Amino acid sequence: MVLETFATLRIFSASICPEVITDRLGLESNTGYIRDPDARRRSKRETNYWGWCTKDELESTDNLVHIKAIIKRFKQKAVLLKELRSEECQMDICCYFVTSGQGGPYMDLSAMNALYKLGLEIWWDVYFGSEDES
């Protein structure tokens, strides 16, 4: 049984700050930080980070629903994502996935094809929990 899942489109850049990425994409991030290699009380931040996460957007425990929400949100922005990649931005989709048993995340062919067209790699951060913890 899936206990929790969400997905995040993540964009990292050593030179382009999150505000510029927001302006270029025309979409406000809901997670991120500014490059700060001299940060004292946290690990050094060698890159800027801009992210758009489905965590507070959807309540579904179906990871494919979260992935398709990102696809839908960014489908018309494929050229902009390609331009950012050409400026040495690195991007991917990270899926947080907590399960209490057998089974795991999955994708259908339409999602795979859409991610390919957007030039986005995807990976899962998988955890095992129990229903008592949720």
Side-chain angles (χ1 to χ4, degrees), residues 2 14 17 31 35 62 82 84 89 106 109 117 124 129 131:
V2 179
C17 67
T31 181
R35 181 177 183 269
D62 183 340
K82 185 177 181 178
L84 288 168
C89 287
Y106 69 96
L109 288 175
K117 288 178 181 176
W124 283 264
E131 292 181 52

Side-chain angles (χ1 to χ4, degrees), residues 44-99:
K44 290 185 178 182
R45 295 180 175 164
E46 299 297 327
T47 62
N48 294 300
Y49 166 59
W50 183 99
W52 190 84
C53 183
T54 63
K55 184 176 184 176
D56 296 327
E57 304 286 324
L58 302 168
E59 292 185 24
S60 177
T61 57
D62 183 340
N63 75 290
L64 190 56
V65 169
H66 290 267
I67 294 165
K68 288 188 174 186
I70 289 176
I71 291 168
K72 182 178 179 181
R73 180 65 55 121
F74 291 90
K75 188 176 183 179
Q76 303 303 319
K77 300 181 186 300
V79 171
L80 298 171
L81 293 176
K82 185 177 181 178
E83 288 172 3
L84 288 168
R85 271 193 303 280
S86 74
E87 296 175 46
E88 300 185 14
C89 287
Q90 296 175 327
M91 57 188 76
D92 64 15
I93 293 177
C94 172
C95 297
Y96 178 80
F97 189 87
V98 182
T99 184

Side-chain angles (χ1 to χ4, degrees), residues 10 71 83 125 133:
R10 308 179 321 154
I71 291 168
E83 288 172 3
D125 194 10
E133 295 173 13

Side-chain angles (χ1 to χ4, degrees), residues 2-62:
V2 179
L3 301 176
E4 182 180 9
T5 190
F6 56 87
T8 306
L9 171 63
R10 308 179 321 154
I11 301 176
F12 298 94
S13 174
S15 59
I16 301 173
C17 67
E19 295 81 17
V20 171
I21 295 171
T22 291
D23 290 343
R24 303 250 317 257
L25 292 176
L27 181 64
E28 192 74 37
S29 70
N30 53 19
T31 181
Y33 53 78
I34 296 173
R35 181 177 183 269
D36 183 7
D38 298 322
R40 288 186 178 184
R41 291 203 162 102
R42 55 187 178 251
S43 62
K44 290 185 178 182
R45 295 180 175 164
E46 299 297 327
T47 62
N48 294 300
Y49 166 59
W50 183 99
W52 190 84
C53 183
T54 63
K55 184 176 184 176
D56 296 327
E57 304 286 324
L58 302 168
E59 292 185 24
S60 177
T61 57
D62 183 340

